[in-house]
């Protein structure tokens, strides 16, 4: 409990810092009018913005997400996307690639000890820009669908056949021209898994996020985000098993016009498991998660 309170205090402090930076940025908003527009897809950490790039643009990305901490023992798992992305029109973006995973697990209840790295599967993503930002409309909205095929379970590292169908609504709002942005995601993620023992597991995750990102200089944005996630043992959302709130800071750095980096850290500050009075939900979710993404456009 004490550790959870400390994590919550640190996360809240990070959000306060972001808000102070936002307030400080308002006074300097005029200078941002001369900055180039920025693609908003990646500026919110785990929250995805609505941007889909310029027609004809291509991109290669290495996107790693790490998940850390369970109720007991030590737990660290990563999944990395090796992704090719292209934009055939100003309203459509297509991505596909391979997945790699690592697991370092020891002494965790209900999970086998494991220290392994493996090819984990593949994925594709299809994005459609439904509402385009204009000079008179600061809101932009994109619809996205991402099927995944996994040969390695994300949590346990066991060999499985998993099919996940992530559907999201990605929206963002330009609050101050070229300076301050708000991002919002809605997530529905049903999946089915066939285990090595022949069992079939059907489940789903439902959630939403809100984020702020402030452009402090032309090539750097800092911000914060909050996620609310619910887990179900049914794709129809009929068997609720627990939920969690995750909170943390974000960073976006544009190194060159064709290369950028995204970094984010989320900590679980509140959670509950159905039928369990323990603090946090460390059965369906993790104590912390981190994201580090590098991209090259061409």
């Amino acid at each position: 409990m004490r550790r959870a309170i400390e994590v919550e205090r640190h996360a809240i402090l990070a959000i306060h810092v972001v808000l102070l930076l936002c307030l400080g940025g308002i006074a300097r908003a005029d200078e941002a009018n001369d900055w180039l527009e920025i693609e908003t897809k990646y500026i919110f950490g785990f929250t995805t913005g609505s941007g889909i790039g310029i027609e004809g643009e291509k991109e290669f990305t290495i996107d790693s997400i790490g998940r850390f901490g369970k109720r007991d023992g030590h737990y660290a798992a990563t999944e990395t996307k090796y992704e090719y992305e292209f934009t055939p029109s100003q309203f459509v973006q297509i991505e596909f690639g391979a997945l790699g995973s690592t697991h370092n697990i020891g002494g965790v209840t209900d999970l086998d000890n494991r220290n392994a790295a493996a090819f984990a599967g593949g994925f594709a993503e299809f994005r459609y820009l439904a509402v385009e930002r204009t000079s008179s409309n600061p809101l932009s909205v994109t619809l996205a669908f991402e099927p995944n095929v996994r040969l390695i379970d994300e949590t346990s590292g066991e060999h499985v056949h998993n099919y996940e169908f992530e559907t999201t609504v990605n929206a963002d709002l330009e609050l101050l021209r070229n300076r301050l942005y708000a991002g919002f995601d809605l997530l529905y993620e049903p999946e089915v898994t066939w285990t090595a023992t022949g069992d079939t597991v059907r489940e789903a995750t439902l959630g939403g996020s809100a984020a702020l990102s402030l452009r402090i200089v032309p090539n750097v944005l800092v911000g914060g985000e909050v996620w609310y996630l619910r887990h179900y043992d049914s794709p129809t959302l009929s068997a609720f098993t627990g939920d969690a709130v995750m909170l943390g800071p974000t960073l976006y750095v544009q190194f060159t016009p064709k290369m950028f980096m995204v970094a984010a850290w989320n900590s679980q500050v509140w959670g509950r498991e159905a039928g369990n009075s323990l603090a946090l939900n460390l059965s369906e979710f993790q104590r912390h998660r981190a994201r580090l993404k590098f991209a090259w456009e061409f």
Side-chain angles (χ1 to χ4, degrees):
M1 174 67 74
R2 183 179 300 173
R3 182 177 178 85
I5 292 173
E6 290 177 354
V7 169
E8 181 176 3
R9 287 174 177 171
H10 291 156
I12 292 173
L13 177 61
I15 297 300
H16 284 170
V17 170
V18 171
L19 292 175
L20 288 174
L21 288 170
C22 292
L23 292 174
I26 293 175
R28 303 187 304 273
D30 288 344
E31 67 189 56
N33 290 330
D34 297 327
W35 294 352
L36 296 176
E37 292 186 5
I38 195 163
E39 185 181 338
T40 57
K41 180 180 179 181
Y42 300 120
I43 66 174
F44 300 110
F46 287 93
T47 302
T48 302
S50 67
I52 65 167
I54 302 171
E55 183 174 342
E57 185 177 78
K58 301 177 180 66
E59 182 178 290
F60 176 72
T61 299
I62 298 175
D63 185 7
S64 292
I65 293 177
R67 299 176 175 88
F68 311 98
K70 290 293 186 180
R71 186 74 63 191
D72 52 7
H74 67 267
Y75 179 86
T78 68
E79 184 173 83
T80 300
K81 290 181 175 180
Y82 302 92
E83 174 182 310
Y84 173 74
E85 170 189 299
F86 64 100
T87 307
S89 81
Q90 67 182 87
F91 297 104
V92 175
Q93 187 176 70
I94 300 171
E95 307 170 14
F96 59 88
L99 300 171
S101 68
T102 67
H103 290 83
N104 189 336
I105 306 170
V108 178
T109 301
D110 296 330
L111 295 179
D112 293 337
N113 292 347
R114 193 178 305 275
N115 190 1
F119 167 73
F123 72 96
E125 184 175 13
F126 307 91
R127 293 168 54 82
Y128 173 71
L129 182 62
V131 178
E132 187 176 14
R133 188 175 0 260
T134 65
S135 58
S136 59
N137 172 36
L139 177 67
S140 182
V141 180
T142 293
L143 309 178
F145 175 64
E146 181 181 334
N148 287 264
V149 178
R150 289 189 177 88
L151 305 177
I152 302 294
D153 185 76
E154 284 183 285
T155 301
S156 68
E158 296 178 353
H159 289 275
V160 296
H161 286 89
N162 168 269
Y163 300 91
E164 179 185 279
F165 305 94
E166 179 182 301
T167 303
T168 57
V169 178
N170 311 133
D172 55 68
L173 190 65
E174 189 178 40
L175 300 176
L176 292 175
R177 177 171 170 76
N178 289 337
R179 167 75 70 171
L180 180 62
Y181 303 85
F184 309 92
D185 279 3
L186 293 176
L187 166 71
Y188 171 59
E189 186 180 274
E191 57 185 293
V192 58
T193 303
W194 287 274
T195 68
T197 58
D199 295 328
T200 301
V201 180
R202 292 180 172 86
E203 55 189 323
T205 301
L206 184 70
S209 71
L212 281 176
S213 189
L214 173 68
R215 199 171 181 183
I216 55 175
V217 293
N219 62 333
V220 177
L221 291 93
V222 296
E225 62 181 332
V226 58
W227 275 89
Y228 174 63
L229 298 165
R230 296 173 62 88
H231 183 268
Y232 299 83
D233 276 346
S234 167
T236 60
L237 310 181
S238 60
F240 172 73
T241 63
D243 51 358
V245 175
M246 305 200 73
L247 180 70
T250 65
L251 172 69
Y252 174 94
V253 180
Q254 184 92 37
F255 296 114
T256 73
K258 297 294 184 179
M259 184 173 71
F260 64 85
M261 178 198 78
V262 178
W265 181 276
N266 285 184
S267 293
Q268 190 179 150
V269 296
W270 179 88
R272 59 175 172 168
E273 299 175 21
N276 193 332
S277 61
L278 294 174
L280 304 183
N281 182 348
L282 299 177
S283 177
E284 287 88 14
F285 305 103
Q286 59 287 317
R287 191 180 297 273
H288 309 286
R289 64 178 181 175
R291 184 178 197 181
L292 186 61
K293 180 185 185 91
F294 291 92
W296 297 264
E297 298 174 354
F298 54 93

